[in-house]
Amino acid sequence: KWLLANHRKLIDADYCINEGGGGEIKNGTRLLNEVQASEKIYLSLRLEVKNRGGHSSLPTKDNAIYRLAEGLVRLSKFEFPVKLDEITRAYFKRMARIEKGQTAEDMELITRTPPDPGAISRLAATPFYNALMRTTWVATMVEAGHAENALPQTARAVVNCRILPTDVPDEIERTLVKILADDQVKISRIDEPVSSPPSPLKPQIMQAVEHVTEQLWPGVPTVPMMSTGASDGAYLRNAGIPTYGVSGIFEDIDDLRWHGKDERVGVKEFYDGHEFLYRLIKMLASEG
């Protein structure tokens, strides 16, 4: 962000190769290699409830912790509607040819207009697929009270939103206010959201990724996708620099540990990714 604002010429380019995409493994089998062409919008909101407090031996019905907790429970029960765009629709169509059985059928069904409700429900049971289909929010941090023998005077929580590129952050915030339905829960933004318009699927990028992928993992398809997480690609895309997240590092989609205390990458997958990126950058650089 700072470089774009102050030294744009230093990083000006026709396109950017970035992190954000990787390969998927399921049951020990490499399914696909992803090219991140878009990503969700990141927005964290702070919820805060204030109360006059008092002594814990004289409890009242109006408790800051209870009020905040009730609001969080209401948020947990709400789901945003499913919205697929060109990239996520292409992802599920490709995956429908890779997956098997009910999952493959459901992936085909959700790309139809309108999408099949049963297919949505079954796919949404997998957090990764659910996050690809809709905007999400989740409580990630809670703090409250100041002593074990005192009524809480403050209760706070952080709700992290991952917003589809086609959704508007202001509307998501208004929805949160509506679902909370409590004017005593004050809402503030911890950060300002950065929109991330999808990057066009440049043939030179996609063909290079497909070529190197086929060299290293014959038969593994290359698939454009929307990242459920966030990257610096959002700043570059906003500046008019198309950005493509690709790493060649494969991860088990049933064992994702991003940002966890036990976050890890397989040793073989790490070195495979190193070789992939070396070959990819060498191929792209030779085009100039």
Side-chain angles (χ1 to χ4, degrees):
K1 181 180 179 180
W2 180 84
L3 282 169
L4 288 167
N6 297 280
H7 297 284
R8 168 64 182 264
K9 290 183 179 179
L10 293 178
I11 60 171
D12 202 21
D14 289 336
Y15 60 85
C16 169
I17 299 299
N18 188 38
E19 59 94 14
E24 292 184 12
I25 295 175
K26 187 176 180 66
N27 298 327
T29 300
R30 285 181 170 82
L31 299 179
L32 53 87
N33 195 17
E34 301 167 337
V35 178
Q36 181 227 53
S38 73
E39 61 187 271
K40 281 187 159 181
I41 302 168
Y42 183 102
L43 174 64
S44 283
L45 299 168
R46 179 178 288 107
L47 278 54
E48 184 175 71
V49 178
K50 293 283 190 180
N51 192 285
R52 64 181 296 175
H55 199 281
S56 63
S57 66
L58 302 172
T60 64
K61 296 294 183 181
D62 186 16
N63 183 294
I65 292 178
Y66 295 160
R67 185 176 289 274
L68 179 64
E70 288 170 355
L72 293 175
V73 169
R74 287 195 289 274
L75 294 184
S76 73
K77 295 178 179 180
F78 177 82
E79 285 189 325
F80 285 93
V82 168
K83 296 180 183 178
L84 301 184
D85 61 14
E86 178 185 9
I87 293 173
T88 50
R89 192 176 299 276
Y91 172 87
F92 281 115
K93 279 189 172 293
R94 293 277 188 97
M95 285 296 293
R97 298 197 292 268
I98 297 170
E99 285 282 2
K100 298 178 181 178
Q102 187 66 59
T103 300
E105 183 179 345
D106 288 340
M107 287 179 168
E108 178 62 35
L109 288 172
I110 67 164
T111 64
R112 299 180 182 179
T113 305
D116 181 80
I120 290 173
S121 179
R122 288 186 291 271
L123 288 176
T126 299
F128 180 65
Y129 296 148
N130 181 63
L132 289 177
M133 294 189 293
R134 52 166 55 100
T135 288
T136 63
W137 60 30
V138 62
T140 55
M141 299 177 70
V142 176
E143 58 175 335
H146 60 279
E148 64 181 78
N149 61 348
L151 300 178
Q153 291 179 293
T154 304
R156 299 187 186 94
V158 173
V159 172
N160 184 245
C161 307
R162 303 297 178 125
I163 304 169
L164 290 175
T166 53
D167 283 346
V168 180
D170 287 349
E171 293 180 1
I172 301 305
E173 191 170 342
R174 284 193 287 269
T175 300
L176 183 140
V177 172
K178 181 179 178 181
I179 300 302
L180 285 174
D182 188 343
D183 58 10
Q184 290 193 44
V185 181
K186 304 303 179 184
I187 302 168
S188 59
R189 291 184 178 184
I190 296 176
D191 42 47
E192 285 301 315
V194 179
S195 63
S196 183
S199 298
L201 300 178
K202 288 179 175 284
Q204 68 186 104
I205 305 296
M206 298 303 296
Q207 290 170 10
V209 175
E210 288 170 354
H211 180 78
V212 178
T213 300
E214 184 63 26
Q215 282 183 335
L216 293 174
W217 308 289
V220 173
T222 296
V223 179
M225 55 87 69
M226 176 194 69
S227 174
T228 59
S231 76
D232 284 341
Y235 299 109
L236 295 164
R237 291 187 181 103
N238 274 312
I241 302 175
T243 301
Y244 306 92
V246 56
S247 69
I249 297 176
F250 283 70
E251 296 180 86
D252 189 331
I253 63 173
D254 294 321
D255 188 33
L256 297 177
R257 307 184 184 208
W258 304 332
H259 302 323
K261 292 183 178 181
D262 57 354
E263 184 173 7
R264 65 186 187 180
V265 171
V267 175
K268 184 178 187 304
E269 285 71 26
F270 172 80
Y271 286 107
D272 284 350
H274 184 278
E275 180 63 22
F276 172 85
L277 285 174
Y278 173 77
R279 295 190 189 191
L280 177 64
I281 299 305
K282 188 175 180 180
M283 176 174 287
L284 292 173
S286 68
E287 294 177 354

